Amino acid sequence: QRRRFLFPVGPAGGGGARAMAAAGGVPGLEAQRREVEAAEQRGLRAGERWYLLENHWYQQWKEYVESGDQNSSSFPGHINNSELFEDLESFRLKERLVESEEYVLVPEDVWNKLVSWYGLEHDQPPIERKVVELPSTQKVEVYPVELYLCQHNDMDSPVTAQFSRVDTIDAVLQEARRQFEVPPEDETRVWVKNSDGSCERLRNIHMTVLDACLSTGQVVIMETRNKDGTWPSSRPHVMRNSVEDEELYRGQPGVCGLTNLGNTCFMNSAFQCLSNVPPLTEYFLNNHYLGELNFSNPLGMKGEIAEAYADLVKQAWSGHHRAIVPRMFKTKVGHFASQFLGYQQHDAQELLSFLLDGLHEDLNRVKRKEYVELRDAAGRPDEEVAEEAWRNHKRRNDSIIVDIFHGLFKSTLVCPACGKVSVTFDPFCYLSVPLPVSQERAMELFFVYMDPSRKPQQHRVVVPKAGKVLDLCLALAKHTGVPAEQMMVADVFSHRFYKLYQVDEALSCILDRDDIFVYEVAGGLAEPGGALVLPVYLRERAPPRDGDPGYGVVLFGHPLLVSVPRSQLSWDALYGLLLERLSSMTLPPPQVDEEEEAPGEGPASQAEEGSSGGSGGPPTLSPPQATPPPTANRPKRKCRRRRPLFTVRPVNANGTSERPALPGEAQPYIAIDWDSDMKKRYYDEEEAEGYVKHECMGHVQRRQPVKLRECVELFTTVETLEEENPWYCPTCKRHQLATKKLDLWALPEVLIIHLKRFSYTRLAREKLDTLVEFPIRDLDFSDFIIKPRADVAPAPHKYDLIAVSNHYGSLRDGHCMQGAGAVGWLGGRG
């Protein structure tokens, strides 16, 4: 039931509210602003009440108090949240409202003050929300969980109720008892109805709504114990709509999916891989785990992960289900690993790693772990050191997971200063192998010739990933025949130069999504008297309004880099040069009649300043000559001149405003300004946007797949430690960037190989989509095992593939599939 609040409100509109604000007791506007700002600056505290306030009203109020004028027209009137409701009868909050755009949140004391000062629109209820404490954060719960509550004997008449995510299941149960007026002496319990029609008991009433994975729209059923002491759920037709179908269904054991709870494909993928490891599944199906549950291990999960996983395995291998709902399993995983709370996408390998570690600790046969001192090899034989390391590992870690999945590395560190060699043997649960990464990258760009008759060309060049901009120019020179020293590289964004690159800058600064243009420029730029390169923008101008010369200026087209001989640095020469540069995309300018002095009667005629439309300019441009004023004695004659198509103006680097060049400025920017009518008549936009594709664009660079063997070889390659992870040399008594080499000493019965497809650098993150080829049978690791083989009955090192977890998509999104990363092989142990 909706609660109603009564506040002192006036008539509709702002008059009553203004009168109320003018009454005594309401602080001045500056005092209001200070009081609200002071209250809003404090942080969130769990349990506090905050209120939603319509953003438009709030911004109007801020404008009003900042004006300092109580008679200002920006007076906001009554608080009006009508735009936040779906309708003004149910006052149900609209879905997917965006904070700071459609509403703001204010603490309770601010809300009360604003209501006392301005009043609340008639009949609108306050939108009160609580601050809840979620894992690692606190937030205002704008959208509580709305559940449908019903009784087991009347599931067709549900009632709605809202709950906080930090409310317990007991709070849900008590609300259901209140709604259905259950006598205090009657015993009740609740179930949640899943999307497939099945019902799941909510056993732990102290669990929160969040931990129970309850979401808006779900049906919660309250069950009341019968007078004879039985529960109605013992009647299949009441609680399980499809129980008959399930009893009749007989499928292949193990061929069973997990219902997607929302972006939980990673969970299904990891589970299917692990479920198809025969020795592990048999261990659970035969109930061997019951005698090995470790409830006292401080590193474990009190056996809850092992029990939840066992329930999934038993259901999946019963042969009675096509799919099962892993809600309790997900709840347990999220409870012990908060990164898996909610319904975000996750990495299947991260979940698999957590499960293997959790199952190991929950099933660890070692009830009390003893302290084990690690010893250096100190020149001892590898066999002795390896056996000691495995024995020490088993003294603290002994479980079915160790039996099946654990192997042994040999790690060798060599100090670059003193030559100290440190050898240790370390257990592992899976191999995380790197993918060979190409040292080259393909870059697409546009090359713009100086010759206006040649259209821009689109190119794809292959350059070193760690190369410089000069490498890009050298590669492009092979395609175009233009020397690299006559190229300038620019990042173009929104019709302007976002950045002009120097040849010594790293190519890693250029992202694949950037629009890169390379311009041909005149040679000898650095020589005295050489050409000057001017960045030129194209702009369209609307007529000025109210004396604003920048009104209606819009950039269009692609900017240019134009080489101007220093001997021609005048506005007249520049206009002619730009006119020539645009000749392929413009029509000839019109001719107009003008009067000029007869030749020989006065000084040599000079181009009028207006012929270029320029007025002033950067200091590197010579101003046009001014002819002496005409006199009545000088004869005149008529002549025809071409009317200027555009005007040329100095602008800032963004091309948004005009300004004279700064003293000593070496890179002035120029704008070609078109009148809208002239642009429409004489500028050919289709021709200006045209380009041709170089033949290199037709050559698709096909990346060759790599063999899994190459990844393992890379894993065992000597590497130098990074500066962030040095090794402390016991001989030098200091941290050193030692060389490190990993070798395989002993392999487990079931080998998990994780392909490290996610690459992280300081500048970017990417998913490596390199195709990796691997055998289905007889994956042979014999060449990688350095443990000496026994002369009699050598240990097998061949594996058959049993499962693959494959992620389709990018870093931001995608889908996990099982059946092909983490990959698992079943085979002999070395």
Side-chain angles (χ1 to χ4, degrees):
Q1 295 179 355
R2 182 165 58 85
R3 293 181 293 173
R4 297 220 176 241
F5 291 74
L6 298 178
F7 291 97
V9 296
R18 189 188 296 271
M20 183 184 70
V26 177
L29 300 186
E30 177 62 20
Q32 291 183 33
R33 184 185 64 81
R34 287 199 304 267
E35 288 185 36
V36 171
E37 287 184 354
E40 288 180 336
Q41 286 176 358
R42 72 168 188 268
L44 299 176
R45 289 194 288 268
E48 284 186 333
R49 292 182 177 88
W50 284 59
Y51 291 78
L52 274 71
L53 190 60
E54 201 272 327
N55 187 49
H56 177 75
W57 188 96
Y58 181 69
Q59 297 301 328
Q60 186 81 2
W61 171 82
K62 288 178 66 176
E63 181 181 344
Y64 174 59
V65 296
E66 289 171 359
S67 72
D69 180 8
Q70 294 204 6
N71 296 317
S72 171
S73 60
S74 60
F75 181 76
H78 297 318
I79 296 175
N80 189 348
N81 283 337
S82 60
E83 291 299 319
L84 304 182
F85 298 116
E86 287 186 353
D87 58 73
L88 297 181
E89 293 183 1
S90 67
F91 291 104
R92 184 184 180 88
L93 197 64
K94 288 181 179 178
E95 297 291 335
R96 300 177 181 174
L97 293 174
V98 180
E99 186 177 0
S100 299
E101 291 185 12
E102 296 168 286
Y103 71 90
V104 294
L105 291 165
V106 297
E108 185 175 24
D109 53 347
V110 170
W111 171 261
N112 291 337
K113 289 176 180 178
L114 290 174
V115 170
S116 68
W117 298 338
Y118 297 93
L120 181 62
E121 196 67 28
H122 182 65
D123 260 359
Q124 285 189 13
I127 309 175
E128 174 192 313
R129 293 295 185 264
K130 288 184 179 180
V131 178
V132 298
E133 188 160 4
L134 299 176
S136 72
T137 186
Q138 291 180 336
K139 63 180 296 185
V140 178
E141 195 173 36
V142 175
Y143 289 99
V145 176
E146 188 171 87
L147 301 175
Y148 293 99
L149 307 179
C150 64
Q151 298 185 87
H152 68 278
N153 57 357
D154 187 12
M155 297 176 61
D156 295 328
S157 302
V159 297
T160 60
Q162 291 186 341
F163 299 93
S164 168
R165 287 166 180 79
V166 297
D167 284 342
T168 62
I169 300 302
D170 184 57
V172 178
L173 175 60
Q174 296 305 320
E175 176 63 17
R177 292 178 64 97
R178 189 189 68 80
Q179 290 276 6
F180 300 116
E181 300 179 348
V182 177
E185 63 274 11
D186 286 0
E187 185 179 350
T188 54
R189 63 182 185 180
V190 290
W191 301 70
V192 61
K193 189 174 184 180
N194 297 316
S195 58
D196 61 358
S198 64
C199 295
E200 181 181 338
R201 166 93 181 280
L202 298 175
R203 290 181 172 83
N204 187 355
I205 63 173
H206 302 294
M207 181 182 293
T208 64
V209 169
L210 174 66
D211 291 339
C213 297
L214 297 183
S215 56
T216 293
Q218 282 193 288
V219 176
V220 174
I221 306 166
M222 184 184 67
E223 180 184 19
T224 305
R225 189 186 290 273
N226 295 324
K227 297 300 181 181
D228 61 2
T230 62
W231 291 99
S233 57
S234 60
R235 305 172 186 174
H237 68 278
V238 175
M239 298 296 292
R240 298 177 184 175
N241 299 331
S242 58
V243 66
E244 295 87 354
D245 294 338
E246 290 185 358
E247 288 181 349
L248 295 175
Y249 175 73
R250 289 293 183 271
Q252 181 179 345
V255 182
C256 175
L258 302 186
T259 299
N260 195 332
L261 302 176
N263 287 328
T264 55
C265 54
F266 73 96
M267 180 176 292
N268 185 38
S269 184
F271 170 75
Q272 297 294 347
C273 290
L274 208 55
S275 173
N276 281 278
V277 176
L280 183 64
T281 295
E282 292 169 5
Y283 171 84
F284 282 101
L285 292 179
N286 295 327
N287 290 333
H288 294 319
Y289 74 98
L290 292 175
E292 296 185 343
L293 285 171
N294 190 334
F295 298 103
S296 60
N297 185 356
L299 300 180
M301 288 80 173
K302 312 302 181 186
E304 294 186 41
I305 288 294
E307 289 182 325
Y309 179 78
D311 288 342
L312 276 189
V313 169
K314 290 183 178 182
Q315 292 178 62
W317 288 84
S318 68
H320 291 287
H321 302 283
R322 296 179 177 87
I324 51 182
V325 181
R327 189 176 306 280
M328 186 56 66
F329 178 72
K330 183 183 183 305
T331 299
K332 296 295 184 185
V333 170
H335 177 72
F336 292 106
S338 60
Q339 66 268 32
F340 297 111
L341 278 173
Y343 299 94
Q344 302 299 317
Q345 298 196 27
H346 294 283
D347 185 3
Q349 195 274 335
E350 290 182 4
L351 176 64
L352 187 63
S353 175
F354 165 77
L355 280 180
L356 291 171
D357 184 64
L359 291 174
H360 160 64
E361 297 295 357
D362 271 2
L363 299 169
N364 199 342
R365 302 172 187 122
V366 178
K367 307 303 180 184
R368 185 176 180 181
K369 296 187 178 185
E370 57 181 300
Y371 173 75
V372 176
E373 184 176 357
L374 300 179
R375 298 171 55 199
D376 191 75
R380 292 180 294 159
D382 282 352
E383 292 86 343
E384 178 185 340
V385 180
E387 183 180 353
E388 178 185 82
W390 185 254
R391 185 170 59 251
N392 288 339
H393 179 59
K394 293 280 288 196
R395 286 165 64 184
R396 294 173 56 85
N397 304 278
D398 184 14
S399 70
I400 184 66
I401 302 300
V402 174
D403 297 342
I404 298 175
F405 296 104
H406 282 207
L408 204 62
F409 285 139
K410 177 187 177 182
S411 176
T412 305
L413 289 165
V414 180
C415 177
C418 68
K420 164 69 177 176
V421 178
S422 173
V423 176
T424 57
F425 287 82
D426 304 303
F428 68 89
C429 191
Y430 47 84
L431 294 181
S432 289
V433 298
L435 272 65
V437 179
S438 172
Q439 299 304 311
E440 296 180 327
R441 63 182 286 200
M443 297 183 66
E444 292 189 5
L445 51 88
F446 290 93
F447 182 73
V448 182
Y449 289 93
M450 290 178 61
D451 185 352
S453 66
R454 303 189 67 176
K455 290 187 176 181
Q457 283 186 343
Q458 187 181 23
H459 291 258
R460 182 187 294 116
V461 295
V462 178
V463 295
K465 277 189 175 180
K468 305 290 186 181
V469 171
L470 178 60
D471 296 306
L472 173 64
C473 297
L474 291 171
L476 188 57
K478 296 178 181 178
H479 290 190
T480 63
V482 177
E485 58 269 20
Q486 290 182 224
M487 295 182 183
M488 288 189 69
V489 181
D491 181 356
V492 175
F493 176 74
S494 190
H495 312 292
R496 59 174 58 90
F497 290 114
Y498 183 76
K499 182 174 182 180
L500 297 174
Y501 289 97
Q502 303 298 319
V503 293
D504 59 348
E505 290 190 71
L507 285 176
S508 57
C509 297
I510 302 178
L511 305 180
D512 290 338
R513 64 173 181 265
D514 293 341
D515 291 327
I516 300 301
F517 282 68
V518 181
Y519 297 84
E520 180 187 6
V521 296
L525 296 179
E527 298 177 3
L532 176 69
V533 177
L534 294 180
V536 179
Y537 295 141
L538 300 176
R539 305 195 307 180
E540 181 177 356
R541 300 180 68 94
R545 185 179 69 177
D546 298 332
D548 181 6
Y551 170 71
V553 173
V554 178
L555 289 168
F556 70 91
H558 300 305
L560 299 172
L561 289 177
V562 179
S563 301
V564 182
R566 294 182 184 271
S567 60
Q568 300 182 27
L569 287 180
S570 68
W571 287 109
D572 298 328
L574 181 59
Y575 173 82
L577 191 65
L578 295 177
L579 184 63
E580 179 185 1
R581 188 63 181 266
L582 300 180
S583 59
S584 63
M585 60 190 77
T586 58
L587 298 176
Q591 290 188 339
V592 294
D593 292 330
E594 292 183 353
E595 288 187 348
E596 67 173 14
E597 296 177 0
E601 298 295 331
S605 59
Q606 303 288 337
E608 292 287 330
E609 180 178 348
S611 65
S612 67
S615 58
T620 52
L621 293 175
S622 302
Q625 301 294 321
T627 59
T631 66
N633 297 328
R634 292 197 179 104
K636 304 292 189 302
R637 72 173 185 179
K638 288 189 176 181
C639 64
R640 295 184 64 81
R641 297 182 185 273
R642 292 199 177 273
R643 178 184 174 187
L645 289 181
F646 49 79
T647 58
V648 182
R649 302 175 188 274
V651 293
N652 62 8
N654 288 327
T656 55
S657 62
E658 302 163 17
R659 61 155 179 82
L662 299 176
E665 183 178 40
Q667 192 74 67
Y669 285 76
I670 299 297
I672 296 176
D673 281 2
W674 288 82
D675 175 77
S676 295
D677 181 63
M678 294 292 287
K679 175 175 176 287
K680 183 177 180 181
R681 293 167 58 189
Y682 297 102
Y683 184 79
D684 188 341
E685 290 197 53
E686 183 176 350
E687 181 67 23
E689 294 294 327
Y691 68 93
V692 295
K693 290 188 176 183
H694 189 266
E695 61 181 12
C696 64
M697 295 300 295
H699 302 154
V700 179
Q701 189 180 18
R702 298 186 180 275
R703 286 176 292 183
Q704 295 297 321
V706 301
K707 304 289 185 182
L708 181 61
R709 183 182 185 87
E710 298 176 55
C711 302
V712 180
E713 288 174 349
L714 193 59
F715 174 78
T716 58
T717 301
V718 177
E719 63 176 352
T720 302
L721 297 179
E722 297 179 349
E723 294 182 0
E724 296 81 6
N725 186 31
W727 171 67
Y728 183 79
C729 176
T731 303
C732 297
K733 305 297 183 183
R734 59 180 297 182
H735 287 90
Q736 300 282 8
L737 299 182
T739 59
K740 180 180 180 180
K741 188 178 191 306
L742 292 176
D743 290 295
L744 301 179
W745 181 265
L747 294 180
E749 179 181 355
V750 177
L751 177 63
I752 300 175
I753 298 180
H754 167 227
L755 303 178
K756 297 169 68 174
R757 289 198 175 273
F758 299 137
S759 174
Y760 301 91
T761 66
R762 294 178 179 177
L763 295 174
R765 301 184 304 163
E766 62 176 332
K767 178 188 174 185
L768 306 177
D769 56 358
T770 306
L771 180 64
V772 179
E773 294 181 342
F774 47 82
I776 302 299
R777 297 187 180 278
D778 294 332
L779 174 62
D780 194 349
F781 273 82
S782 301
D783 294 342
F784 296 103
I785 301 299
I786 65 170
K787 178 181 179 180
R789 302 186 185 183
D791 295 334
V792 181
H797 299 302
K798 292 185 178 181
Y799 290 85
D800 293 337
L801 182 68
I802 58 172
V804 182
S805 174
N806 187 37
H807 175 267
Y808 292 92
S810 64
L811 276 173
R812 296 179 178 86
D813 53 29
H815 186 64
C816 284
M817 299 285 290
Q818 68 282 352
V823 290
W825 274 267
L826 173 65
R829 171 195 290 248

